[in-house]
Amino acid sequence: LGLLLPLLLHEAHTSGRSLSELAAFAAERPARAFGIARKGRLETGYDGDLVLVDLDCARTVGLDAPFSPSCGWSPYEGRRLQGWPVTTILLGEIVAQNGVLLTEGRGRAL
């Protein structure tokens, strides 16, 4: 799950899909499907959660990455992906930057 966004960004880069399509697939549609009213869009009245990405950043997936699975292996190990998250903002607060979590989890069951 930790590699979902880099995988989607890489796919958008290589397939020519737009970032708008990626945002709809990764945020807007799931929020709508699960009935989460204030998530999935950047509009007045929504929570304003967002991820800033570096589309030029290319990295090779390794097991030492912050998002590596705890099981000790990944089907993506050794694969070079272009497009990585840089900053994650939740309810207006920076919660992760450059792969480092800056705060404790604040999630709640919906």
Side-chain angles (χ1 to χ4, degrees):
L1 188 58
L3 287 173
L4 177 63
L5 185 54
L7 287 165
L8 289 173
L9 289 167
H10 183 79
E11 176 63 23
H13 174 75
T14 58
S15 71
R17 295 200 183 269
S18 72
L19 294 178
S20 295
E21 289 176 287
L22 186 148
F25 176 79
E28 185 177 353
R29 289 182 197 145
R32 190 176 340 127
F34 287 104
I36 305 171
R38 293 179 35 196
K39 300 284 185 188
R41 300 179 77 161
L42 284 178
E43 289 185 14
T44 302
Y46 285 72
D47 283 350
D49 303 339
L50 61 116
V51 178
L52 304 178
V53 299
D54 182 347
L55 297 175
D56 294 325
C57 180
R59 295 184 190 157
T60 301
V61 176
L63 294 181
D64 58 341
F67 337 106
S68 292
S70 58
C71 65
W73 67 276
S74 169
Y76 305 106
E77 184 178 10
R79 186 169 175 192
R80 190 155 180 82
L81 302 176
Q82 183 159 348
W84 285 82
V86 176
T87 303
T88 302
I89 301 170
L90 178 65
L91 297 172
E93 178 186 350
I94 297 174
V95 296
Q97 195 150 26
N98 298 316
V100 177
L101 189 61
L102 302 176
T103 183
E104 295 294 318
R106 300 184 311 176
R108 62 183 173 83
L110 297 176

